[in-house]
Amino acid sequence: MNIDLLTGFVRDIRSARRAANEFERLNRMNSTELAQLGLDRTEISSYAFNKHFNKR
């Protein structure tokens, strides 16, 4: 197995865990707290995904 492929796979797993944790953290916030971050409840999943996957 190619080491770069394995490294990428592990990195994706870490990113997925971080995105899931971010989603859970934001989902526990109320609307006022989310607004202070510039977020609406409907944007939580895309924000968490983009934060941890699109930074590459």
Side-chain angles (χ1 to χ4, degrees):
M1 177 180 259
N2 186 345
I3 193 72
D4 291 332
L5 181 63
L6 183 58
T7 302
F9 179 71
V10 170
R11 185 179 27 208
D12 286 346
I13 289 173
R14 286 183 186 150
S15 293
R17 293 184 89 145
R18 288 183 185 125
N21 289 337
E22 183 80 11
F23 177 84
E24 289 177 20
R25 181 182 75 84
L26 293 171
N27 205 35
R28 287 190 299 266
M29 291 182 173
N30 63 39
S31 296
T32 304
E33 293 169 321
L34 289 171
Q36 290 173 343
L37 297 174
L39 293 173
D40 184 69
R41 189 155 302 280
T42 61
E43 301 170 310
I44 291 175
S45 59
S46 60
Y47 174 82
F49 180 85
N50 290 334
K51 180 177 179 180
H52 295 286
F53 280 94
N54 289 342
K55 63 182 177 184
R56 296 181 198 163

